[in-house]
Amino acid sequence: MSNPISPPPGLVNGAATPATAAAAAASANEQAHSVIGINFGNAYASIAVINKEGRADTIANEDGERQIACAISFNGSETYVGNQALPQLVKNSANTILGFRNYLGKSFAQVGEQSALSAQLGDVGGVPMYTVSVAPAEEEGEAVEKQLSVRDVTALFLRSLLQSAQDFLSHRLIRGAVLSCPSDWTDAQRAALLAAAEDAGVNVISLLDEAAAAVLAYAPSSASPALPVAADSKIANGNGESHPVPADRRSLVLDIGASSTTTTLISVSHHSLLHVLHRSTDPALGGHQLDAVLLSHFAKEFSKKTGTSLSPTSTAPQDLRALAKLRAASEVTKRSLSATTGSATLDVESLKDGLDYHGSINALRFDLLARGVYSRILAHVRACLDEAGLDQTQVDELVLVGGTASLPGIADQLQAILPDPPTVLSNSIDPSNVVAIGCALQARLSVMHAPPVSRGSGEEEALLRASALSMPVGLVFPPSKGFWEVLKAGTPLPARRKVRVPVPVGVGRVGVEVWEGKEEVRVESVVPPKAERDPDDDEEEEEEEEEPEEVRTLHLVPVTQLAALLLPVTHAEQPEKKGRKAKAVQTEAEVEVVVGLGGEVRVRAWVVGAHKKGVVQVDVGGW
């Protein structure tokens, strides 16, 4: 689908008058406030818009929900969309559709096992179709069966999201939207989503991988100079706050969805080129497993308090209805636990045999019950790093995504296995909103700046196939043997970086060597210092020997020299003043390293001044 939004006008043959440039900026700014980002998950969706300050905010629909359930229910002549459809699961599950996103672009043979909670897909000539009972608007009409494809259901849901966004924006025309989709989706699934969005009247600017959207939410300024850049080389996140990670970094995106967990290791360049280093998915690990923990806990508590048996594994019709009520209430309780470190309550009217139930659980108790699920999440993260051949110390940040990732216990468990520093746990943006915010920022960038290459062109294909550095590239200044890293391992190509170095007074030449290096993780056993004993404490206590702690540190060492050059330096002098002799001014040299798509290296160095002075250049062929 072509981009429905044209780049800002005013540039003709590379030139623009001040009037046309101002008009172009005003037009682009207006368009930036008429685009949205949609996080289209399998269980929940969210919408983000650009506010007056140019930042992305998630919005609430007409029911006040920022997390909108991906659910549709038909009850007589009424159609319920979003969170209003969830209560229908108790008495009307056959006409309530959940988890339809993941079936887009699939044949019936590819559907696999379906959730027992939702209406079931049937095989209609190899095409998966839902069959629901729908009554006409007239009261006297009889209900009839209606068949809906996954595309039909998706279009109905996306149309509801578009209407919610228009209501929030006072019915302003929405010119376009960026939609998220899973990173491992096939071309057929992406095409099916685009087709459903077109049916819904959504102008899709682009589809954005969920992991990439999460990274962009924390680092929009690396993608566009139009967004504010924080001081001291730190970059601003989607909320305009300083984000304490380097612009060139390795980001591990942990997306804990309702039914699956995906870990994506991404190399991020300071100019927002992304390169996926590794991706791992566990299709049987997610929020549903934590829901099951709460369901089992409260079912046992209900049985204990009332003497009425309720088993989480029962298939009796009466128990299934009670468990559906309990499951819906447990989801609300889990959200409450995500927002507090205290306790959360659960209330269900007429849970079973006309008996009401009120229960509560605190965060500590829940974390103890959920430790098995937490352990699986930690093992999944470790496995992803092992498969990528990386140590924890080689990851700069861990980005949390998904409503389940908001649970404080998960963040605590992850922080325990990550070295701090250097790894930053990024969860300052609500994990349930981070993808929608990233999509909205991407939509803003699309209308504020013309794309660097045209869609479908050879240049775009080259970028999509771009490789990445397998080893770091850095500088060595003889006689020092220290390795100054310029390009991290995994940096997407092409890449260009500049560094400035001070030249001491009296030094007339600067030698610069470009080396390929390697990362070494050194492990040391360190005995922690003994705690100081209170001199006023007369009681003699037997001192226990402290167990040594394992300390892991990352070191960079040069391995292979790629190029070398010698830069002549002439030091400038301050003019002689009365009573003062002329003295040399601090001189700086600038070194530029460029690595092309094919691995070719160009190194240039010059003395910093009003103009580049005495440029020295060395070119090295690709490898």
Side-chain angles (χ1 to χ4, degrees):
M1 181 179 293
S2 61
N3 191 332
I5 300 178
S6 301
L11 295 177
V12 181
N13 295 327
T17 65
T20 56
S27 174
N29 188 57
E30 180 182 353
Q31 291 189 55
H33 294 293
S34 60
V35 293
I36 60 175
I38 297 177
N39 172 25
F40 182 30
N42 194 47
Y44 285 90
S46 53
I47 311 165
V49 301
I50 302 299
N51 62 24
K52 294 180 180 179
E53 290 75 29
R55 300 172 185 169
D57 288 331
T58 53
I59 64 173
N61 64 4
E62 57 276 7
D63 298 320
E65 295 285 351
R66 297 183 187 274
Q67 294 303 301
I68 304 164
C70 296
I72 296 176
S73 184
F74 301 91
N75 191 344
S77 61
E78 296 292 334
T79 301
Y80 301 95
V81 181
N83 300 68
Q84 291 184 354
L86 295 180
Q88 296 292 319
L89 286 171
V90 177
K91 296 182 180 181
N92 190 31
S93 60
N95 293 312
T96 303
I97 302 173
L98 303 176
F100 49 86
R101 186 206 66 172
N102 285 354
Y103 300 135
L104 275 168
K106 292 184 176 181
S107 65
F108 184 79
Q110 296 172 316
V111 167
E113 185 179 356
Q114 301 182 50
S115 171
L117 301 176
S118 170
Q120 299 296 293
L121 283 164
D123 186 359
V124 181
V127 179
M129 302 283 285
Y130 292 103
T131 301
V132 294
S133 179
V134 180
E138 298 82 5
E139 294 183 1
E140 298 179 358
E142 295 183 0
V144 296
E145 287 190 346
K146 183 177 180 179
Q147 288 188 330
L148 298 170
S149 67
V150 179
R151 173 174 168 175
D152 295 332
V153 175
T154 302
L156 180 60
F157 181 74
L158 291 178
R159 191 176 298 118
S160 173
L161 296 183
L162 181 63
Q163 185 61 52
S164 296
Q166 288 178 329
D167 292 344
F168 181 86
L169 296 173
S170 301
H171 301 282
R172 182 190 305 162
L173 175 64
I174 295 177
R175 299 176 181 270
V178 170
L179 269 67
S180 70
C181 67
S183 304
D184 57 354
W185 263 22
T186 64
D187 291 341
Q189 290 175 293
R190 293 171 189 266
L193 176 56
L194 288 173
E198 185 176 4
D199 294 343
V202 179
N203 290 326
V204 179
I205 299 173
S206 64
L207 298 180
L208 185 61
D209 289 352
E210 291 167 337
V215 170
L216 180 58
Y218 279 101
S221 59
S222 65
S224 168
L227 295 173
V229 181
D232 65 15
S233 76
K234 294 178 182 178
I235 50 184
N237 62 29
N239 293 329
E241 301 168 350
S242 179
H243 189 45
V245 292
D248 290 319
R249 63 197 183 279
R250 289 193 189 100
S251 297
L252 188 66
V253 181
L254 177 61
D255 186 349
I256 307 176
S259 56
S260 65
T261 294
T262 300
T263 303
T264 308
L265 187 63
I266 299 179
S267 177
V268 185
S269 170
H270 80 288
H271 49 287
S272 273
L273 280 178
L274 305 180
H275 183 77
V276 176
L277 301 175
H278 189 73
R279 181 183 293 117
S280 178
T281 300
D282 187 337
L285 175 63
H288 289 333
Q289 279 63 45
L290 291 172
D291 293 340
V293 168
L294 284 173
L295 183 70
S296 176
H297 169 74
F298 286 122
K300 291 178 181 178
E301 289 294 311
F302 172 79
S303 300
K304 186 186 299 183
K305 285 184 177 180
T306 64
T308 301
S309 175
L310 179 60
S311 171
T313 59
S314 175
T315 57
Q318 187 180 13
D319 286 349
L320 289 176
R321 181 175 297 182
L323 292 172
K325 288 184 177 181
L326 194 58
R327 186 176 290 105
S330 297
E331 174 68 22
V332 177
T333 302
K334 188 179 71 173
R335 286 200 203 179
S336 299
L337 288 170
S338 300
T340 180
T341 55
S343 60
T345 60
L346 177 141
D347 293 282
V348 183
E349 293 183 2
S350 187
L351 179 57
K352 184 180 179 183
D353 295 343
L355 297 172
D356 299 338
Y357 175 66
H358 170 80
S360 65
I361 187 171
N362 59 42
L364 179 60
R365 174 64 172 162
F366 174 73
D367 288 342
L368 289 173
L369 294 173
R371 63 181 179 272
V373 181
Y374 290 170
S375 297
R376 290 178 60 189
I377 293 174
L378 296 183
H380 176 73
V381 172
R382 288 193 181 99
C384 180
L385 291 175
D386 290 342
E387 291 165 6
L390 292 178
D391 187 80
Q392 295 98 309
T393 57
Q394 295 171 280
V395 177
D396 297 297
E397 72 169 337
L398 174 63
V399 180
L400 296 184
V401 178
T404 301
S406 302
L407 288 165
I410 291 179
D412 293 342
Q413 294 285 324
L414 290 168
Q415 195 66 76
I417 68 168
L418 296 172
D420 182 21
T423 307
V424 174
L425 185 66
S426 296
N427 62 348
S428 58
I429 301 176
D430 187 340
S432 59
N433 297 333
V434 64
V435 172
I437 287 174
C439 288
L441 290 170
Q442 178 63 27
R444 180 186 189 275
L445 292 172
S446 298
V447 298
M448 293 291 287
H449 303 277
V453 296
S454 58
R455 182 171 298 184
S457 65
E459 292 88 347
E460 184 190 50
E461 289 298 318
L463 285 175
L464 292 176
R465 296 193 306 267
S467 58
L469 287 175
S470 59
M471 301 177 75
V473 172
L475 304 177
V476 174
F477 298 94
S480 169
K481 295 298 182 182
F483 183 73
W484 188 340
E485 185 182 50
V486 177
L487 290 164
K488 297 176 71 70
T491 298
L493 299 179
R496 179 176 63 180
R497 299 294 184 273
K498 293 180 183 179
V499 296
R500 282 193 179 187
V501 292
V503 181
V505 176
V507 174
R509 294 181 301 176
V510 175
V512 181
E513 297 176 354
V514 180
W515 286 71
E516 195 175 48
K518 69 176 181 179
E519 298 175 329
E520 292 183 349
V521 178
R522 299 174 186 173
V523 182
E524 297 177 333
S525 293
V526 178
V527 178
K530 295 182 179 180
E532 293 185 6
R533 185 172 176 272
D534 187 353
D536 297 331
D537 190 359
D538 296 332
E539 296 183 7
E540 294 186 3
E541 297 182 1
E542 184 178 349
E543 295 185 0
E544 297 182 1
E545 292 188 4
E546 296 285 348
E547 291 289 335
E549 296 179 354
E550 185 182 86
V551 177
R552 310 172 75 87
T553 54
L554 179 64
H555 295 266
L556 299 169
V557 295
V559 175
T560 306
Q561 183 175 330
L562 302 178
L565 54 83
L566 193 62
L567 176 66
V569 178
T570 302
H571 295 271
E573 291 187 345
Q574 287 182 345
E576 186 174 342
K577 292 184 179 180
K578 186 177 181 180
R580 292 184 182 179
K581 293 183 179 180
K583 64 178 181 178
V585 178
Q586 175 66 61
T587 304
E588 289 184 318
E590 193 162 61
V591 183
E592 178 187 71
V593 180
V594 180
V595 183
L597 282 170
E600 59 276 7
V601 179
R602 169 171 292 178
V603 186
R604 298 199 304 164
W606 58 84
V607 176
V608 177
H611 302 283
K612 294 179 181 177
K613 301 177 182 179
V615 176
V616 180
Q617 178 174 312
V618 176
D619 293 300
V620 182
W623 63 84

